[in-house]
Amino acid sequence: MIQTLQAVRGMNDILPDDAETWENFEDIVRDWLKGYGYRPVRMPIVEPTPLFCRAIGEVTDIVEKEMYSFEDALNGEKLTLRPEGTAGCARAAIQHNLMAAGGPQRLYYQGPMFRHERPQKGRYRQFHQIGAEALGFAGPDIDAELILMGARLWGQLGLTDIRLELNSLGSAPERAAHREALITYLERHRDELDEDAQRRLHANPLRILDTKNPAMQELADAAPKLADYLGDESRAHFDALRALLDDAGLTYRINHRLVRGLDYYNCTVFEWMTDRLGGQGTVCAGGRYDGLLEQLGGKPTPAAGFAMGMERLLALWREGGEAEYLAERPVPDVYVVNQGENAQRLAFRAAEALREIGLDVLLHCGGGSFKSQLKKADASGTPYALIIGDDEAASNEIGIKPLRGDGAQRRVPFAALAETVADMLYGGEHEDVGAGQGAQDGSV
Ligand code: HAM
């Protein structure tokens, strides 16, 4: 027996019922992004490995243990399936001189990302993000905009129970001063550090504050706070952001231990989270990354952005969002049944004539008796079946059978088909009726 193959662990098929909901969700999100002036950009899924090492940081979970990296079999180049979109987006903006040519850019992308994590509910190895990146904006106004965008989308999707956490990571020298104090503090408590923290002590001590280990919470709580090391400029930036958020009536919590898992951030960082998804509650996260573009070889360019996890948002949307947006199986306007060679040719023409005026048409393929075809038509939910057999083909006419209610079956000449069906569906309000149909008389 031939063994069936399965999808890679942690990578999911999204089947039609779900994929339709995804598309509805994406439509809403695209409209929302356009409403803020964001423009689409599409980057490759595979990038040179050093891009992520430089951007995300060598001593991060992502780069240390989660990247799908491989060597190009032909030229040995080190490549990686993108674990996130910010690095690729920044690379693309630099490579194509977007800011030099067009000034500051508001960009968005969507698509699959890959991280070799332990799969569980809400955490996958292939997952999907929609990300927004504002490149070339220095002020706290863009931070506020990026955050307020999130609040608007949750409202639009009918999602409640999403809260905002906010922190400022300050500038690189401020972080360096804090880091020194932090290492001194952690070294004093070396015995209490778990294995992970011991390993990170010198490489990435800030991440120790983010620990999920309950035994280390007290230690992390009492550690020197980055907030106490922020200079005037960082403080003013954060205060101005908070004033804008307060003005908009947004509630948030300042979380001094919010440090994010990617090294490119400075100043503002934020996460939107919910308790309704179990352990994987962060649905959207981001912040400022003023040093990244320069670090990747571009001109110094302030920037900020966020990315949201589509699987997590969709899980929330499904259970508590606006039910009317959730996809239902689409119902065709018309289902065309046909039997016989000439009838089949007329059926193809009839279906095309109706698609020409914008109707959704399911043309029966695969033969079978009229009875079984009509059963399928009924099951599709369509209001009308077109019936085409030898008689109809001979007279170039089409049978129209209402499947809902008690209307009578009728026959119309091919030339009158589009107008008649549109009239039956829309009561004569369909503007495009007749468009493109006149050229064909349908005769077979
Ligand atoms: P991130 O926090 O690594 O940030 O990911 C952003 C979001 O992607 C998370 O909040 C979560 O919703 C989703 N996500 C991450 N990993 C997984 C996973 N394994 N399975 C399911 N969902 C996941 C970034 O990626 C940054 N590039 C965000 C950003 C954009 N910062 C500035 N601009």
Side-chain angles (χ1 to χ4, degrees):
M1 209 170 67
I2 299 174
Q3 210 186 345
T4 55
L5 295 170
Q6 306 281 314
V8 175
R9 190 163 123 82
M11 305 199 182
N12 300 311
D13 299 308
I14 302 163
L15 300 177
D17 282 347
D18 272 341
E20 276 158 0
T21 304
W22 277 63
E23 290 196 348
N24 286 355
F25 178 83
E26 287 159 4
D27 285 348
I28 293 170
V29 171
R30 262 196 299 270
D31 278 353
W32 159 78
L33 285 160
K34 276 197 206 126
Y36 286 85
Y38 284 76
R39 298 180 63 207
V41 57
R42 296 182 184 221
M43 298 87 65
I45 286 172
V46 176
E47 296 273 5
T49 304
L51 172 68
F52 301 117
C53 299
R54 265 208 259 169
I56 298 170
E58 295 279 1
V59 193
T60 55
D61 284 348
I62 296 179
V63 170
E64 275 184 333
K65 51 189 186 201
E66 293 173 0
M67 296 208 301
Y68 283 89
S69 297
F70 55 97
E71 276 184 19
D72 184 314
L74 293 181
N75 64 11
E77 191 182 1
K78 289 191 165 53
L79 302 174
T80 295
L81 295 186
R82 63 184 184 191
E84 58 104 54
T86 309
C89 184
R91 182 213 33 79
I94 296 166
Q95 182 175 337
H96 302 285
N97 265 321
L98 285 189
M99 276 75 73
Q105 301 282 319
R106 285 179 167 91
L107 304 172
Y108 76 86
Y109 50 82
Q110 72 180 86
M113 308 290 161
F114 303 84
R115 295 184 194 175
H116 200 282
E117 300 193 77
R118 197 166 56 79
Q120 53 187 281
K121 184 171 175 270
R123 180 191 280 172
Y124 308 102
R125 290 181 173 171
Q126 175 177 322
F127 60 98
H128 297 76
Q129 284 186 344
I130 294 181
E133 313 289 357
L135 308 180
F137 297 88
D141 47 0
I142 201 79
D143 305 16
E145 181 182 275
L146 286 162
I147 290 171
L148 292 172
M149 283 171 77
R152 173 163 299 281
L153 182 63
W154 318 144
Q156 236 167 295
L157 293 169
L159 301 179
T160 49
D161 301 335
I162 300 185
R163 60 177 193 281
L164 174 66
E165 295 203 348
L166 200 60
N167 193 17
S168 174
L169 300 182
S171 67
E174 289 154 10
R175 274 202 307 284
H178 169 250
R179 184 189 146 101
E180 217 170 285
L182 188 59
I183 292 179
T184 309
Y185 168 83
L186 292 169
E187 270 176 343
R188 258 194 286 128
H189 297 272
R190 214 185 181 114
D191 298 348
E192 298 158 59
L193 300 182
D194 63 16
E195 202 183 310
D196 226 26
Q198 299 263 6
R199 198 173 50 82
R200 283 183 162 142
L201 179 54
H202 290 277
N204 198 350
L206 207 59
R207 284 287 283 163
I208 299 178
L209 301 186
D210 209 18
T211 177
K212 302 277 181 293
N213 182 351
M216 282 180 43
Q217 295 305 313
E218 219 172 289
L219 185 79
D221 279 337
K225 288 190 182 25
L226 182 53
D228 297 330
Y229 290 78
L230 295 189
D232 289 347
E233 212 177 303
S234 297
R235 221 182 282 270
H237 186 103
F238 199 47
D239 288 346
L241 165 62
R242 292 185 58 178
L244 287 168
L245 298 181
D246 292 340
D247 217 40
L250 202 70
T251 47
Y252 52 86
R253 185 170 88 89
I254 305 288
N255 176 359
H256 291 297
R257 284 164 51 185
L258 182 68
V259 295
R260 310 278 300 121
L262 306 96
D263 283 355
Y264 47 62
Y265 292 108
N266 68 292
C267 282
T268 314
V269 289
F270 60 92
E271 292 193 1
W272 289 98
M273 32 193 133
T274 178
D275 292 326
R276 285 167 52 192
L277 292 178
Q280 307 304 316
T282 305
V283 291
C284 176
R288 223 165 226 292
Y289 49 94
D290 294 325
L292 179 63
L293 277 88
E294 190 177 10
Q295 204 182 315
L296 294 178
K299 294 210 175 67
T301 308
F306 63 72
M308 46 198 184
M310 291 178 66
E311 283 82 357
R312 293 182 191 179
L313 278 170
L314 276 157
L316 265 189
W317 201 38
R318 267 196 204 99
E319 72 168 58
E322 301 285 313
E324 73 257 31
Y325 287 127
L326 298 184
E328 281 171 18
R329 200 192 171 101
V331 172
D333 294 316
V334 167
Y335 191 106
V336 185
V337 308
N338 61 94
Q339 200 177 45
E341 208 176 300
N342 286 341
Q344 187 183 50
R345 292 166 62 197
L346 182 56
F348 268 87
R349 285 172 202 184
E352 282 306 307
L354 295 181
R355 292 184 186 120
E356 190 75 19
I357 62 163
L359 301 188
D360 296 336
V361 181
L362 253 186
L363 171 63
H364 184 87
C365 289
S369 67
F370 273 129
K371 195 169 160 211
S372 73
Q373 292 191 36
L374 276 167
K375 247 193 192 160
K376 292 215 166 75
D378 194 41
S380 76
T382 187
Y384 298 107
L386 299 194
I387 300 182
I388 307 174
D390 289 337
D391 283 359
E392 286 81 1
S395 59
N396 204 29
E397 289 179 323
I398 314 282
I400 306 175
K401 182 178 168 66
L403 296 179
R404 322 278 145 200
D406 46 20
Q409 183 170 336
R410 58 199 280 203
R411 241 158 109 155
V412 296
F414 178 86
L417 175 67
E419 192 164 359
T420 309
V421 173
D423 206 37
M424 292 168 86
L425 283 166
Y426 304 109
E429 288 164 18
H430 199 251
E431 287 170 13
D432 302 329
V433 176
Q437 183 224 344
Q440 286 183 4
D441 68 359
S443 43
V444 284

